[in-house]
C-alpha cells in the first residue's frame, strides 16, 4: 500500500520523496529528476529560468554568500572573493596545483605541500569540500522550491578518474549541504544511462563518452555488459575547455584593435565585457555563420570559418586524447559501437564534426550536452529508489585486498583490478589446540608481507568452541559493494559463531600513493618471493614441531628410547634453525625430523588400522 503524508511546511500532499540526480560540474551544476508521470528524466528549472547554475561562490560583505549567476557577476570585479572551479581543488594538495597557480584568481593555500588545500577568503579558510557544499545547498534549495517538497536524498556525479578521496570529499560536501548521498556515480556512466544504454540486460556495447566542458576535457571508454558499466580507460586534459575558445576570440579582438597589455590591466571592465562577448560570439556561431557585436565602442566581427581557424588546434588536442584512451583500452575506433557527446562545448559544430570523422560511428547528441550527465544521475536515482533493481555499476579495485595469515603473510582474497561489486570467501583454521578466538587483520596492497601493505581494519572472531588445532573451519568472506565499501565477515562453520566489520577500502589513498604501492610491489617482487618462501618454511617448521610433540605425548609408550632421544634432538635443532637458518636449511631440518618420525608414525598407523579392521566384520 502506498503511503501518503502531508508536508507541514508547505501544506501540500507529500508523495514518496524524490531522489534527485546532481551534476556537480566545474563550470555549471544542475539537478534532474524522473518525471512522476512521463517516467522520463527532466532537468529542474524555475518557470522560464535556466537549468544551469554556474559553479561559482561569492563571499560578500557581512558574510553574504551568493551562488550561481549572482556570484558570476563578481568574477572580474571581486576576483579574490569569487571562487570558481572548486571541483579542480577537490582532494588536491598544493603540490598538485602549483603548475597552475596563475589560473586561480583567489588565494589557494595549505600548511605544507603534502596536505590538502584550503581557500582563503578574508580571514576565513574554506576547504574545497565546504565550498562545494555551498553549491549543493543552493541546488537543494532550488529543487525544493521547484518541487515544493523537501529534498534530502541525491545521487551525485564525478569524473571517472576521481580517486577515492575526491569521491569521499564530494560525498561529504553533500552531507554538509544536508543531503544524504545515496551513490556517487561516474559522469560517463550517467551520460550513457541518459541515452538508455545499459538498461537492457542482454546488451553488450563499447561506448566512447566525449565530454568537453567549460574548463576540462574528458574522454572515457566504457564497456556495458548486461547492465554493468566498466571503465576501460580515461584520458583528457584538465586544463582545456570552452573557456579556452573564449580566450582565443578575446585574443583575436585585442590584436585586431591593437590594444596593449597595460591598457588591458588598467581597464578591467573592458576585459570583463570582452570575455562575456567572446562567449556570446562563440555560442552564436554554433548556430549561425557570422557574429557581430560591440564592446566599448569597438566592433567584434567574426565568421564561423574564422572562429574555427582559431580553435582548430584545441580541437585536435582532444582528438589526440581520444587516440590515447583507445590505445590504453587496447581498442581501435572499429571496436567502438557508439559515441556520446557531453558538455556545452560539444555544441560547436567543428567539434562534433571532428569527433564524428575520427570515430566514424553513430554520435548521440539528441539530448542537451550540458544536461545529459544530470539526466543520467536522475535515472540512477530512480534505480536506487527501487524502480529498476537489476542494474549495477561497475568500478575496479585499485589495490589487492586480503588478510594476514601465519607468519605475517598477505593472503589476497580480492586481487587488484577486480570488478566491483565483488565477493569471495576462503576457509582458514586454528593453529593451537583449544584456540577460542582468531584475529582477522585486513590489508590492502601488493606486497607479500602484510607489514609492507596498508592495514585497513582488524577484529577478533571470538567464541570458537574448544577443538583440536586444524579442526575449526573459519570462513572469511570479503564483499566489496558498488560504493567500494568492503565488508569482511568471519564465521566458524561448525559452531556458527560469526563476526563482521565494514571497511572503506581506498579511503584517503591518493593516485600517487596507489601508484607508489604498485611500483614498490614490482621492484620488491623478487625479495618478496624469497621472503615468502622463508616465512612459509618457518611456518611449516613450527607446525611440524607442534604435531610431532603432540604425537609423542600421546604415544610415548609405543616408542623406543632411541627414537625418543633422536626425535627430541631433531626438534631442538629445528627450533634453533627456524630462527636463524635460511629457507633451505630449515627445509633440511624439517626433512631430517620427518625421516626420524616416519618409521614409528607408519608403524603406529599400521597398528591403528589393524585395530580398526579387527573390530569390523568384512
Ligand atoms: P562543465 O561540465 O565544465 O561544468 P558545461 O558542460 O556546462 O560545463 O560546459 C560549459 C561550456 O560550454 C562553457 O564554456 C560554455 O561557454 C560552453 N557552451 C555552452 N553553450 C554553448 C554553445 N551553444 N556553443 C558553444 N559553447 C557553448
Ligand atoms: Mg560536465
Amino acid at each position: 500500500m502506498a503511503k501518503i503524508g502531508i508536508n507541514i511546511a508547505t501544506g501540500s500532499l507529500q508523495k514518496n520523496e524524490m531522489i534527485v540526480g546532481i551534476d556537480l560540474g566545474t563550470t555549471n551544476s544542475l539537478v534532474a529528476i524522473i518525471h512522476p508521470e512521463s517516467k522520463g528524466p527532466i532537468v529542474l528549472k524555475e518557470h522560464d529560468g535556466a537549468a544551469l547554475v554556474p559553479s561559482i561562490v561569492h563571499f560578500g560583505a557581512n558574510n553574504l554568500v551568493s551562488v550561481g549567476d549572482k556570484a558570476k557577476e563578481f568574477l572580474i570585479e571581486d576576483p579574490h572573493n569569487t571562487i570558481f572551479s572548486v571541483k579542480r581543488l577537490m582532494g588536491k594538495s598544493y603540490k598538485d596545483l602549483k603548475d597552475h597557480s596563475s589560473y586561480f584568481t583567489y588565494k589557494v593555500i595549505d600548511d605544507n605541500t603534502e596536505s590538502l588545500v584550503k581557500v582563503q577568503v578574508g580571514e576565513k579558510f574554506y576547504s574545497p569540500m565546504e565550498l562545494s557544499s555551498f553549491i549543493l545547498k543552493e541546488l537543494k534549495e532550488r529543487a525544493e522550491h521547484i518541487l515544493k517538497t523537501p529534498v534530502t536524498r541525491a545521487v551525485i556525479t564525478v569524473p571517472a578518474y576521481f580517486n577515492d578521496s575526491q569521491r569521499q570529499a564530494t560525498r561529504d560536501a553533500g552531507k554538509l549541504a544536508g543531503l544524504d548521498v545515496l551513490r556517487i556515480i561516474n559522469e560517463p556512466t550517467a551520460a550513457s544511462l541518459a541515452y538508455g544504454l545499459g538498461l537492457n540486460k542482454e546488451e553488450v556495447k563499447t561506448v566512447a563518452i566525449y565530454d568537453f566542458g567549460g574548463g576540462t576535457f574528458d574522454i572515457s571508454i566504457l564497456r556495458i555488459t548486461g547492465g554493468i558499466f566498466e571503465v576501460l580507460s580515461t584520458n583528457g586534459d584538465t586544463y582545456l575547455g570552452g573557456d579556452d575558445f573564449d580566450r582565443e576570440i578575446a585574443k583575436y579582438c585585442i590584436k585586431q584593435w591593437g590594444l596593449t597589455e597595460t591598457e588591458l590591466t588598467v581597464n578591467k571592465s573592458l576585459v570583463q565585457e570582452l570575455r562575456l562577448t567572446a562567449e556570446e560570439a562563440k555560442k552564436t556561431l554554433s548556430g549561425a555563420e557570422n557574429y557581430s557585436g560591440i564592446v566599448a565602442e569597438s566592433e567584434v566581427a567574426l565568421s564561423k570559418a574564422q572562429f574555427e581557424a582559431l580553435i582548430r588546434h584545441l580541437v585536435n588536442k582532444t582528438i589526440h586524447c581520444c587516440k590515447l584512451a583507445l590505445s590504453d583500452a587496447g581498442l581501435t575506433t572499429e571496436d567502438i559501437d557508439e559515441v556520446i557527446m557531453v558538455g556545452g562545448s560539444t555544441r560547436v559544430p567543428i567539434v562534433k564534426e571532428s569527433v564524428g570523422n575520427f570515430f566514424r560511428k553513430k554520435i548521440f547528441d539528441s539530448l542537451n550536452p550540458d544536461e545529459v550527465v544530470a539526466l543520467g544521475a536522475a535515472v540512477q536515482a530512480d534505480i536506487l529508489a527501487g524502480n529498476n533493481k537489476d542494474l549495477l555499476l561497475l568500478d575496479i579495485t585499485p589495490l589487492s585486498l586480503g588478510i594476514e595469515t601465519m607468519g605475517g603473510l598477505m593472503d589476497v582474497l580480492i586481487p587488484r583490478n577486480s570488478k566491483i561489486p565483488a565477493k569471495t570467501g576462503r576457509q582458514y583454521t586454528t593453529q593451537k589446540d583449544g584456540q577460542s578466538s582468531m584475529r582477522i587483520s585486513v590489508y590492502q596492497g601488493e606486497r607479500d608481507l602484510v607489514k609492507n601493505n596498508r592495514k585497513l581494519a582488524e577484529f577478533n572472531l571470538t567464541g570458537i568452541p574448544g577443538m583440536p588445532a586444524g579442526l575449526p573451519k573459519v570462513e572469511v568472506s570479503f564483499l566489496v559493494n558498488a560504493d567500494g565499501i568492503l565488508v569482511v565477515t568471519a564465521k566458524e562453520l561448525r559452531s556458527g559463531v560469526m563476526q563482521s566489520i565494514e571497511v572503506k577500502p581506498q579511503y584517503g589513498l591518493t593516485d600517487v600513493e596507489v601508484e607508489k604501492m604498485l611500483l614498490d610491489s614490482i621492484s620488491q617482487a623478487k625479495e618478496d618471493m624469497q621472503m615468502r618462501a622463508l616465512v612459509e618454511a618457518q611456518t611449516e617448521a613450527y607446525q611440524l614441531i607442534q604435531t610431532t610433540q603432540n604425537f609423542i605425548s600421546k604415544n610415548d609408550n609405543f616408542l623406543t628410547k632411541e627414537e625418543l632421544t633422536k626425535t627430541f634432538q631433531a626438534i631442538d635443532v629445528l627450533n634453533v634453525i627456524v630462527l636463524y637458518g635460511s629457507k633451505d636449511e630449515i627445509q633440511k631440518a624439517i626433512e631430517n625430523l620427518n625421516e626420524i618420525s616416519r618409521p614409528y608414525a607408519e608403524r603406529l598407523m599400521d597398528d591403528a588400522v589393524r585395530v580398526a579392521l579387527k573390530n569390523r566384520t568384512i
Side-chain angles (χ1 to χ4, degrees):
M1 208 176 70
K3 278 188 195 152
I4 293 178
I6 292 173
N7 181 338
I8 314 229
T10 61
S12 64
L13 278 186
Q14 200 174 341
K15 299 131 255 167
N16 271 341
E17 200 205 307
M18 201 94 56
I19 306 175
V20 299
I22 297 181
D23 172 4
L24 183 63
T26 310
T27 319
N28 296 305
S29 299
L30 68 156
V31 185
I33 58 158
I34 297 294
H35 193 280
E37 271 118 51
S38 78
K39 307 283 179 221
I42 52 159
V43 298
L44 291 183
K45 48 180 110 181
E46 311 261 9
H47 297 301
D48 43 350
L52 300 187
V53 176
S55 307
I56 304 175
V57 184
H58 175 252
F59 294 89
N62 306 325
N63 290 327
L64 193 72
V65 181
S66 54
V67 175
D69 285 312
K70 281 167 279 162
K72 195 176 179 178
E73 290 167 17
F74 293 99
L75 265 184
I76 303 278
E77 210 179 286
D78 192 15
H80 304 304
N81 300 318
T82 312
I83 320 300
F84 60 92
S85 289
V86 170
K87 193 171 174 179
R88 292 183 188 285
L89 305 177
M90 294 291 257
K92 296 278 172 150
S93 70
Y94 193 74
K95 215 163 92 191
D96 299 328
L97 299 167
K98 68 175 188 320
D99 293 342
H100 298 279
S101 54
S102 65
Y103 174 89
F104 302 98
T105 56
Y106 47 89
K107 208 159 172 189
V108 181
I109 57 152
D110 63 5
D111 310 333
N112 61 62
T113 51
E114 303 298 330
S115 69
L116 297 182
V117 292
K118 293 227 167 192
V119 171
Q120 185 175 3
V121 181
E123 304 282 278
K124 287 202 175 148
F125 300 92
Y126 297 94
S127 68
M129 187 268 284
E130 285 171 283
L131 293 166
S132 293
S133 83
F134 284 112
I135 299 169
L136 288 170
K137 213 171 180 174
E138 168 79 17
L139 295 174
K140 171 177 151 55
E141 281 165 10
R142 264 174 161 245
E144 289 177 333
H145 190 243
I146 296 167
L147 295 170
K148 302 201 176 8
T149 166
V151 170
T152 58
R153 297 187 294 167
V155 169
I156 304 181
T157 59
V158 295
Y161 60 79
F162 254 31
N163 65 24
D164 198 67
S165 53
Q166 292 170 303
R167 286 165 199 262
Q168 198 66 41
T170 306
R171 195 178 262 286
D172 291 344
K175 209 187 285 173
L176 201 60
L179 289 169
D180 181 9
V181 182
L182 299 184
R183 181 82 43 103
I184 295 286
I185 70 166
N186 289 332
E187 287 160 13
T189 301
S192 312
L193 282 173
Y195 278 104
L197 295 174
L199 295 173
N200 170 358
K201 290 212 85 184
E202 266 75 66
E203 183 179 62
V204 177
K205 269 191 176 146
T206 308
V207 291
I209 293 89
Y210 179 100
D211 182 349
F212 207 1
T216 57
F217 168 68
D218 298 309
I219 172 80
S220 314
I221 312 289
L222 294 194
R223 176 157 296 149
I224 307 174
T225 327
I228 292 180
F229 295 78
E230 183 184 356
V231 180
L232 298 183
S233 67
T234 64
N235 207 294
D237 187 332
T238 46
Y239 287 86
L240 177 62
D243 299 347
D244 296 292
F245 294 176
D246 307 346
R247 233 164 272 141
E248 290 297 332
I249 296 176
K251 269 197 320 209
Y252 169 82
C253 294
I254 289 165
K255 212 164 121 196
Q256 292 269 305
W257 301 336
L259 289 177
T260 66
E261 276 294 320
T262 34
E263 278 169 301
L264 288 173
T265 31
V266 291
N267 199 344
K268 278 217 173 119
S269 63
L270 172 71
V271 176
Q272 175 173 28
E273 213 183 317
L274 181 54
R275 200 188 266 191
L276 294 175
T277 308
E279 189 178 2
E280 187 192 302
K282 170 186 77 177
K283 288 183 179 173
T284 307
L285 292 172
S286 290
E289 290 299 316
N290 288 291
Y291 172 84
S292 83
I294 302 281
V295 173
E297 286 157 18
S298 306
E299 201 194 7
V300 177
L302 199 68
S303 72
K304 191 169 149 198
Q306 280 171 316
F307 171 58
E308 289 178 350
L310 290 175
I311 64 161
R312 178 153 286 143
H313 68 287
L314 299 174
V315 181
N316 289 344
K317 258 191 185 173
T318 69
I319 300 297
H320 182 65
C321 292
C322 294
K323 282 183 196 155
L324 296 177
L326 280 175
S327 84
D328 277 354
L331 301 176
T332 67
T333 52
E334 301 277 288
D335 302 309
I336 302 296
D337 297 309
E338 270 127 28
V339 182
I340 299 179
M341 297 300 249
V342 182
S345 299
T346 61
R347 285 216 169 90
V348 175
I350 187 191
V351 171
K352 238 182 254 189
E353 247 168 64
S354 307
V355 177
N357 287 340
F358 174 70
F359 283 103
R360 305 212 155 276
K361 284 291 142 62
K362 178 168 188 245
I363 300 243
F364 281 89
D365 63 354
S366 58
L367 296 171
N368 281 339
D370 31 24
E371 295 177 352
V372 26
V373 168
L375 293 172
V379 173
Q380 173 64 34
D382 196 44
I383 294 167
L384 289 176
N387 300 333
N388 198 342
K389 289 197 176 70
D390 301 337
L391 274 177
L392 286 175
L393 295 179
L394 198 81
D395 247 316
I396 277 178
T397 55
L399 293 167
S400 301
L401 298 164
I403 67 169
E404 174 175 3
T405 54
M406 279 266 272
L409 288 180
M410 170 91 173
D411 195 24
V412 171
L413 276 102
I414 297 184
R416 90 181 202 88
N417 277 346
S418 294
K419 295 160 187 175
I420 64 173
K423 188 175 169 25
T424 105
R426 197 168 291 164
Q427 282 186 14
Y428 299 88
T429 189
T430 49
Q431 291 171 42
K432 292 198 187 99
D433 288 339
Q435 186 176 333
S436 66
S437 75
M438 202 164 163
R439 178 175 296 265
I440 313 285
S441 305
V442 184
Y443 284 84
Q444 177 183 48
E446 306 313 307
R447 302 286 298 276
D448 276 350
L449 291 180
V450 293
K451 70 171 201 289
N452 297 321
N453 290 331
R454 182 185 158 98
K455 190 183 210 164
L456 298 175
E458 186 170 81
F459 66 100
N460 273 324
L461 177 67
T462 54
I464 302 175
M467 279 182 257
L471 212 55
K473 282 189 182 167
V474 176
E475 177 156 285
V476 175
S477 55
F478 273 37
L479 169 76
V480 183
N481 70 18
D483 268 346
I485 310 288
L486 170 67
V487 178
V488 181
T489 308
K491 183 178 182 182
E492 202 287 300
L493 298 177
R494 292 180 196 276
S495 60
V497 292
M498 196 172 117
Q499 205 93 47
S500 75
I501 192 168
E502 199 175 274
V503 226
K504 297 216 180 87
Q506 313 103 6
Y507 183 64
L509 275 190
T510 64
D511 279 353
V512 180
E513 281 173 302
V514 169
E515 199 171 307
K516 182 169 180 302
M517 288 174 89
L518 289 178
L519 285 176
D520 279 355
S521 74
I522 295 164
S523 63
Q524 313 279 349
K526 202 167 153 220
E527 196 183 295
D528 270 11
M529 231 153 73
Q530 287 163 351
M531 198 62 188
R532 179 178 273 270
L534 177 65
V535 172
E536 275 169 357
Q538 286 168 337
T539 306
E540 194 187 336
Y542 284 125
Q543 275 168 342
L544 182 62
I545 292 170
Q546 172 115 38
T547 47
T548 312
Q549 277 169 341
N550 283 351
F551 187 87
I552 289 178
S553 65
K554 280 182 204 144
N555 304 295
D556 58 350
N557 44 353
F558 296 102
L559 268 59
T560 67
K561 206 165 172 216
E562 200 201 344
E563 280 171 335
L564 281 174
T565 320
K566 273 183 136 179
T567 305
F568 284 128
Q569 270 172 1
I571 288 178
D572 285 346
V573 169
L574 187 53
N575 255 325
V576 175
I577 287 186
V578 78
L579 291 176
Y580 307 107
S582 69
K583 175 203 125 211
D584 290 343
E585 286 164 340
I586 296 171
Q587 229 121 43
K588 233 170 100 189
I590 287 175
E591 200 37 49
N592 183 42
L593 179 54
N594 272 331
E595 285 293 314
I596 292 165
S597 59
R598 193 169 299 128
Y600 58 76
E602 278 170 6
R603 196 175 70 223
L604 277 167
M605 198 90 89
D606 288 350
D607 280 350
V609 172
R610 226 173 293 134
V611 170
L613 285 181
K614 212 165 70 185
N615 295 338
R616 278 175 65 188
T617 45
I618 303 171

